[in-house]
Amino acid sequence: MTVEEFFELSAGKWFSHRTSHHLAFKQAEDGKSEINIETLPADHPEVIKLCQQYEVDPSTATCGARVTWNGTMEWDEEKHEGSTVLVTVPDQDSPDEGKLLREMGYAEKAPVAGRYKIGTDGALTLTTEYETMWSEERLWFASPNLRMRVSVLKRFGGFSMASFTSEIRMGGAPAKAAEAANSVNTPSG
Amino acid sequence: MTVEEFFELSAGKWFSHRTSHHLAFKQAEDGKSEINIETLPADHPEVIKLCQQYEVDPSTATCGARVTWNGTMEWDEEKHEGSTVLVTVPDQDSPDEGKLLREMGYAEKAPVAGRYKIGTDGALTLTTEYETMWSEERLWFASPNLRMRVSVLKRFGGFSMASFTSEIRMGGAPAKAAEAANSVNTPSG
């Protein structure tokens, strides 16, 4: 799988269920949201704009996505709404890894460029370094209708959080909505 | 990493925190337990006994482990205690994968042989087929003191559950207990 194929397969509406394990407290926190992922062509105005913010030549971008979310976390019971744009800029010598530009990092409200790498097993790994934090997220498809994500967060050199997200496709391509809603069945069974 | 090295690194006492996502209900269930993992040499009497139960030549087994757990799950509030023995029997042509014998499957109370495969990324994947179920578990080390597991369970062709387990070493080799307890720091962290 290429990173472009991974983005294509991610397009659509998902029910996203995240559980964070706060390692020092041995406590879990649950969050649920609806996520909408829309792929953007490499020449889309928002892709070009983001490249320019990072001072990256827009012609080197290969794909983009707009991710919109709407949900709640258990502990603060606040509504979390937001959206971001992601853009992949492969390394010159290796199309399977490169820079990942994003409008806004999950944990900090300033633009942060991370790295992506798509493995031979089809899993996508994203790493981001912030000033005092480091995060790594692995995303993969158990089936076209079930996407999974595991992330770890390091603060000041020690792991502080591990999160797991299961995401069920709510309808649209590539599988029929009814199947996805009932039992996360896939065409391949 | 070889499967033998994976078992060695797993040896010790772990605080294990599991969250299961019941996909059809969109509900999470939390469970916490202490797990003790002890490696067994390939010529240990319990390894030989398990091979004989599966009618496998004991000289083909490469390593074994006894896993003991003691914990509670949220929904039934019962104490879950138990132990099992695991034995790896590599395929003749490939030492990185083979049969995984176990005294007792997680979900069924009869002996079930599964498959193991250690990937080039050091992750261990275990698959088990039951009569009406199929499960796959991926285990890996975020650090020598933080082990992670993700499993999916299929019933009658559809995914029914996804589980995430973070496991923090409680002491013993290879890292000092105090470090593990405080912040899951690692020597390299």
Side-chain angles (χ1 to χ4, degrees):
Chain A
M1 177 139 47
T2 65
V3 67
E4 292 79 11
E5 286 165 348
F6 195 98
F7 273 47
E8 285 297 336
L9 198 50
S10 299
K13 205 167 159 188
W14 299 83
F15 168 76
S16 176
H17 186 170
R18 171 189 290 248
T19 301
S20 298
H21 288 183
H22 297 269
L23 299 174
F25 308 114
K26 300 183 176 177
Q27 293 295 320
E29 182 187 16
D30 234 38
K32 292 177 186 174
S33 54
E34 275 187 31
I35 292 185
N36 200 54
I37 301 175
E38 184 193 348
T39 56
L40 303 175
D43 59 356
H44 189 279
E46 294 209 47
V47 174
I48 294 171
K49 193 177 109 193
L50 197 62
C51 287
Q52 286 166 344
Q53 282 174 6
Y54 281 94
E55 299 179 352
V56 163
D57 177 359
S59 73
T60 60
T62 54
C63 66
R66 184 187 291 111
V67 182
T68 310
W69 61 88
N70 187 339
T72 50
M73 286 300 284
E74 207 177 17
W75 288 4
D76 60 10
E77 288 184 2
E78 269 179 42
K79 270 277 178 198
H80 290 268
E81 283 183 12
S83 79
T84 189
V85 173
L86 303 173
V87 170
T88 56
V89 180
D91 291 345
Q92 277 193 329
D93 51 350
S94 162
D96 290 337
E97 56 186 305
K99 278 202 277 287
L100 182 78
L101 315 183
R102 61 177 114 194
E103 264 189 339
M104 191 195 287
Y106 171 75
E108 290 193 355
K109 300 206 166 178
V112 176
R115 299 274 310 162
Y116 77 87
K117 181 169 182 155
I118 188 118
T120 50
D121 57 358
L124 180 66
T125 302
L126 311 178
T127 48
T128 315
E129 276 202 72
Y130 304 91
E131 260 180 59
T132 60
M133 288 193 294
W134 172 90
S135 82
E136 184 180 84
E137 183 162 44
R138 178 184 159 87
L139 302 91
W140 72 99
F141 289 89
S143 81
N145 293 333
L146 178 60
R147 197 172 84 147
M148 314 234 276
R149 293 154 56 184
V150 169
S151 69
V152 286
L153 189 71
K154 254 188 188 179
R155 276 176 205 268
F156 307 111
F159 285 105
S160 64
M161 192 163 77
S163 298
F164 173 59
T165 309
S166 61
E167 299 183 307
I168 303 170
R169 190 182 295 276
M170 294 173 75
K176 279 176 280 170
E179 282 179 356
N182 285 338
S183 62
V184 206
N185 273 317
T186 67
S188 64
Chain B
M1 178 139 44
T2 65
V3 68
E4 292 79 11
E5 287 164 350
F6 195 98
F7 272 48
E8 285 297 336
L9 198 50
S10 300
K13 203 166 159 188
W14 299 83
F15 168 75
S16 176
H17 186 170
R18 171 188 290 247
T19 301
S20 298
H21 289 183
H22 297 268
L23 299 174
F25 308 113
K26 300 182 176 178
Q27 292 296 321
E29 183 187 14
D30 234 38
K32 292 175 186 173
S33 55
E34 275 187 31
I35 292 185
N36 200 53
I37 301 176
E38 184 193 348
T39 55
L40 303 175
D43 59 356
H44 190 279
E46 294 209 45
V47 173
I48 294 171
K49 192 178 111 193
L50 197 61
C51 287
Q52 287 166 343
Q53 283 174 7
Y54 281 93
E55 299 178 354
V56 163
D57 177 359
S59 72
T60 59
T62 54
C63 66
R66 185 188 291 111
V67 182
T68 310
W69 61 89
N70 186 341
T72 49
M73 286 300 284
E74 208 176 15
W75 288 3
D76 60 11
E77 287 183 4
E78 269 180 41
K79 270 278 178 196
H80 290 268
E81 282 183 13
S83 80
T84 188
V85 173
L86 303 174
V87 170
T88 57
V89 180
D91 291 345
Q92 278 194 328
D93 51 351
S94 162
D96 290 337
E97 55 186 304
K99 278 202 277 288
L100 182 78
L101 315 183
R102 61 177 116 193
E103 264 188 339
M104 190 195 285
Y106 172 75
E108 291 195 353
K109 300 207 165 177
V112 177
R115 299 275 308 163
Y116 76 89
K117 183 171 182 155
I118 188 116
T120 50
D121 57 358
L124 181 65
T125 303
L126 311 178
T127 48
T128 314
E129 276 201 72
Y130 304 92
E131 259 180 60
T132 60
M133 289 193 294
W134 172 90
S135 81
E136 184 181 84
E137 183 162 44
R138 178 184 159 86
L139 301 91
W140 72 98
F141 288 90
S143 81
N145 293 333
L146 178 59
R147 197 172 84 147
M148 313 234 275
R149 293 155 57 184
V150 169
S151 69
V152 286
L153 189 71
K154 256 189 187 179
R155 277 177 204 268
F156 307 111
F159 285 104
S160 64
M161 192 162 78
S163 297
F164 173 59
T165 309
S166 61
E167 300 183 307
I168 302 171
R169 189 182 296 278
M170 293 173 75
K176 280 176 279 172
E179 283 179 355
N182 286 337
S183 63
V184 207
N185 273 318
T186 67
S188 65

